[in-house]
DNA sequence: TAGGGACCTGCC
DNA sequence: GCAGGTCCCT
């Protein structure tokens, strides 16, 4: 057992980790009281939140940590811009204090995490993602745990259907290796990284060449894994929230491609490049209300 | 182009 | 019964 490569403190981070997790950006992050731990962007973290200070153990140095969690982002400025796009979000913005877009940089992990998410619920998705990450290379052994990066496309192609069936993947079991194979045919990790550099809409079109990837997953991968900040992932919750807020005449109708475009255009018109972050605010607010209703 | 059904599994 | 969809079919 070796020590963590880096141990440091971050003073007054204006970031609420629990809020970032609640907004559905990451699946490999655990919280127990003041203790947070997980792997993000190929870096392992144990973070103890001590009042106004983070005690961090990681293989990522302080500047990498600050970048990943958006520590130095000026939230006041962002919130003002979102508020200007829709004054009706004032209350939701207050509830979302400390929310950030986490910089993940690992489109493979994002892609396969959301591949597990279709027609599924969070607790099982997390279990499945953790299961897949067991196939990843070891980052290190710290704090009594073996920390792993998410497996590469090559490794994912080798995971058999029966193996994943046995681990409770259900009908998604064959999709993992199928999707990985197709991604390799399209150019593998270089192709995925290239999608960061082209317009968001083109990137999403390309992503949908993958089996099991429809518009919603393409949106999630584009926003969370490729860093396309203007993308708005629209799931059932977002559709409910958005019709209530902006398209009351469509309340109760089903979400089609054309209506999806309608929502995307409305968010871009209102929030521009902050459309993705505005989406997070609306999503967190909607999920909070949804839980309260139940 | 809109609507409807099947799909694994686990938790309500 | 339903869940942070996708795919296939009218």
């Amino acid at each position: 057992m070796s020590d963590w490569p880096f141990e440091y403190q971050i003073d007054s981070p204006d970031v609420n980790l629990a809020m970032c997790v609640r907004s559905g950006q990451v699946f490999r992050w655990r919280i127990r009281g003041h203790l947070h731990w997980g792997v993000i962007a190929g870096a392992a973290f144990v973070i103890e939140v001590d009042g106004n200070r983070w005690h961090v153990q990681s293989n990522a140095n302080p500047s990498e940590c600050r970048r990943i969690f958006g520590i130095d982002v000026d939230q006041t400025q962002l919130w003002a811009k979102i508020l200007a796009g829709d004054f009706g979000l004032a209350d939701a913005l207050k509830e979302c204090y400390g929310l950030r877009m986490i910089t993940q940089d690992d489109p493979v992990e994002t892609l396969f995490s959301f591949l597990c998410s279709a027609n599924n619920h969070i607790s099982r998705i997390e279990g499945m993602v953790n299961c897949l990450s067991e196939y990843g290379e070891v980052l290190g052994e710290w704090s009594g745990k073996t920390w792993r990066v998410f497996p590469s496309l090559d490794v994912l192609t080798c995971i058999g259907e029966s193996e994943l069936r046995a681990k409770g993947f259900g009908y998604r079991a064959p999709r993992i290796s199928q999707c990985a194979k197709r991604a390799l045919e399209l150019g593998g990790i270089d192709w995925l990284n290239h999608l960061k550099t082209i317009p968001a809409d083109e990137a999403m079109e390309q992503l949908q060449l993958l089996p099991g990837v429809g518009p919603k997953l393409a949106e999630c991968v584009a926003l969370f894994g490729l860093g396309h900040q203007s993308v708005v992932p629209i799931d059932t919750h977002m559709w409910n929230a958005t019709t209530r807020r902006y398209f009351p005449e469509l309340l109760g109708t089903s979400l089609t491609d054309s209506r999806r475009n309608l929502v995307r255009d409305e968010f871009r018109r209102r929030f521009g490049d902050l459309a993705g972050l505005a989406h997070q605010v609306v999503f967190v607010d909607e999920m909070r209300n949804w839980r309260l209703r139940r």
Side-chain angles (χ1 to χ4, degrees):
Chain A
M1 187 70 56
S2 53
D3 291 330
W4 289 85
F6 298 102
E7 298 196 24
Y8 45 90
Q9 297 178 359
I10 293 182
D11 287 315
S12 307
D14 198 13
V15 175
N16 184 333
L17 284 172
M19 184 66 66
C20 297
V21 175
R22 202 180 311 160
S23 71
Q25 304 178 56
V26 293
F27 295 100
R28 278 213 284 166
W29 194 259
R30 307 292 295 276
I31 304 173
R32 289 289 177 279
H34 297 298
L35 208 58
H36 295 241
W37 69 98
V39 179
I40 292 177
F45 292 95
V46 171
I47 300 175
E48 189 186 349
V49 179
D50 174 16
N52 218 14
R53 174 176 288 177
W54 288 3
H55 299 277
V56 183
Q57 296 174 305
S58 179
N59 62 317
N61 65 36
S63 71
E64 288 166 335
C65 177
R66 301 186 83 89
R67 186 182 65 87
I68 289 169
F69 292 107
I71 303 279
D72 301 309
V73 167
D74 181 351
Q75 172 169 285
T76 308
Q77 203 175 30
L78 296 182
W79 265 212
K81 284 183 184 169
I82 291 176
L83 198 57
D86 179 3
F87 287 111
L89 288 176
D91 289 339
L93 284 165
K94 275 182 206 155
E95 294 293 333
C96 288
Y97 190 85
L99 175 65
R100 290 291 188 286
M101 293 301 308
I102 294 175
T103 304
Q104 303 197 44
D105 279 348
D106 185 351
V108 175
E109 171 154 3
T110 311
L111 169 59
F112 287 87
S113 297
F114 280 98
L115 201 55
C116 296
S117 78
N119 189 26
N120 209 349
H121 46 262
I122 301 294
S123 59
R124 185 151 81 112
I125 299 168
E126 287 176 344
M128 291 163 78
V129 173
N130 282 317
C131 174
L132 288 180
S133 56
E134 290 295 308
Y135 293 88
E137 278 184 39
V138 174
L139 265 172
E141 298 196 359
W142 306 299
S143 298
K145 289 169 65 73
T146 302
W147 302 81
R148 294 172 185 275
V149 295
F150 197 81
S152 67
L153 290 170
D154 286 311
V155 170
L156 290 165
T157 59
C158 299
I159 308 179
E161 172 176 354
S162 53
E163 197 171 333
L164 290 180
R165 286 252 176 212
K167 291 180 177 177
F169 275 60
Y171 63 80
R172 301 169 188 79
R175 288 192 184 168
I176 302 298
S177 62
Q178 281 168 3
C179 182
K181 283 188 184 110
R182 186 79 182 103
L184 282 176
E185 285 167 12
L186 289 163
I189 186 66
D190 291 337
W191 168 69
L192 277 171
N193 282 326
H194 171 66
L195 299 183
K196 294 176 183 171
T197 67
I198 66 177
D201 292 351
E202 288 176 34
M204 291 191 285
E205 208 173 302
Q206 294 266 305
L207 286 167
Q208 289 178 74
L209 295 173
L210 298 167
V213 178
K216 159 64 167 57
L217 268 63
E219 287 162 347
C220 287
V221 176
L223 176 62
F224 301 134
L226 300 174
H228 284 297
Q229 301 295 324
S230 71
V231 171
V232 183
I234 303 158
D235 61 14
T236 52
H237 296 291
M238 273 304 287
W239 178 237
N240 289 337
T242 312
T243 48
R244 263 205 324 281
R245 284 179 185 277
Y246 305 135
F247 303 102
E249 69 279 12
L250 293 178
L251 264 171
T253 62
S254 61
L255 177 56
T256 62
D257 279 346
S258 57
R259 287 171 187 157
R260 191 180 288 276
N261 290 338
L262 203 62
V263 175
R264 185 197 58 194
D265 292 345
E266 180 67 10
F267 268 74
R268 287 185 181 166
R269 187 181 68 78
R270 287 174 176 272
F271 310 109
D273 270 349
L274 295 182
L277 182 61
H279 155 273
Q280 296 298 100
V281 172
V282 173
F283 182 79
V284 167
D285 182 62
E286 177 66 14
M287 292 303 280
R288 194 172 60 87
N289 292 330
W290 180 71
R291 288 198 190 93
L292 288 176
R293 279 198 297 271
R294 283 159 53 111

